[in-house]
């Protein structure tokens, strides 16, 4: 191995890490070094502000996992403590020069509401999502693939209902009947949520053969430092299409490289479906 190859490998080692080792170390945003240090010193104060925000705005309790510095702010990655289960993030403004933390917590428009709605969707199709969990576990046993570590999910993901193998994505405005009913009554029955989701779909501007929720399945290569394989991706997609009883949704299925970019938490490369082109649709049903 020549020096040029050695240098390239060293650079890649600084950027990428095997998924088995990744827990979110190195995850960061641009211009967040100073606010990141500020967050470490003022962690409890920031968490208190975030807790108050979720209780006041949504009547929910969350577990803050990771505080990441950003420009004039700290991004806090949280997980809900009870159903609906979801991961999301919020932004807390900080002024490090004046040593102040803002009470004004905010998020990208609709992101928290969408995360909550994804958790409500999983509640409504609880049996079907258990089937999806079983499918993912079967794939991990049958093929040389693994999921992301739960610590990495907690520290880097704000993608709604998220597991080591998949995440869901939707907006509260896609299912306002179910979302508003839950916000009025946190004790709403799961069967009622399901009925409202189904009703919304068929009374909305969307055609009945469409679906408002995206479900992305991700299987990382198990062999360290290995690249994704097209044949393996096709085998997993074939297995998926042959499985019955899965929750309705627009599915993307990926076989991803073993290595993850430490800073972004994203894969190095992938094989599988192409979003917006050959996603797999399972139509909504009661």
């Amino acid at each position: 191995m020549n020096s040029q190859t050695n240098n390239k490998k060293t650079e890649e080692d600084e950027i990428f890490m095997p998924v088995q080792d990744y827990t979110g170390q190195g995850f960061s945003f641009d211009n967040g070094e100073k606010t990141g240090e500020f967050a470490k010193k003022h962690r409890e104060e920031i968490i208190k502000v975030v807790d108050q925000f979720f209780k006041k705005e949504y009547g929910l309790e969350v577990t803050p996992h990771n505080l990441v510095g950003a420009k004039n702010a700290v991004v806090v990655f949280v997980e809900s403590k009870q159903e609906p289960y979801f991961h999301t993030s919020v932004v807390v403004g900080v002024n490090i020069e004046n040593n102040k933390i803002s009470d004004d917590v905010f998020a990208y428009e609709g992101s928290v509401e969408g995360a909550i709605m994804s958790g409500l969707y999983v509640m409504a199709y609880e049996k079907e999502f258990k089937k999806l969990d079983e499918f993912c576990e079967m794939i991990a046993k049958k093929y040389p693939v693994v999921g992301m570590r739960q610590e990495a999910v907690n520290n880097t993901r704000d993608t709604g209902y998220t597991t080591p193998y998949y995440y869901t994505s939707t907006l509260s405005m896609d299912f306002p009947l179910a979302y508003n009913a839950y916000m009025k009554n946190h004790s709403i029955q799961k069967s009622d949520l399901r009925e409202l989701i189904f009703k919304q779909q068929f009374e909305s501007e969307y055609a009945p053969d469409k679906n408002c929720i995206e479900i992305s399945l991700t299987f990382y290569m198990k062999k360290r430092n290995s690249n994704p394989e097209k044949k393996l991706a096709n085998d997993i997609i074939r297995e998926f299409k042959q499985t019955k009883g899965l929750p309705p949704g627009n599915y993307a299925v990926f076989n991803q490289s073993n290595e993850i970019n430490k800073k972004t938490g994203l894969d190095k490369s992938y094989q599988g479906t192409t979003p917006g082109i050959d996603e797999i649709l399972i139509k909504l049903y009661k």
Side-chain angles (χ1 to χ4, degrees), residues 150-175:
Q150 186 62 50
E151 300 98 319
V153 172
N154 293 342
N155 289 329
T156 70
R157 296 298 186 255
D158 55 2
T159 44
Y161 185 85
T162 308
T163 79
Y165 295 105
Y166 66 87
Y167 70 87
T168 61
S169 178
T170 190
L171 298 172
S172 62
M173 67 180 67
D174 290 332
F175 300 105

Side-chain angles (χ1 to χ4, degrees), residues 53-54 57-58 74-76 78 88-93 104-115 158:
F53 170 77
F54 275 95
E57 296 296 326
Y58 306 102
V74 174
V75 181
V76 184
V78 304
T88 191
S89 66
V90 293
V91 181
V92 179
D104 183 23
V105 180
F106 62 95
Y108 291 110
E109 185 176 0
S111 62
V112 175
E113 292 81 1
D158 55 2

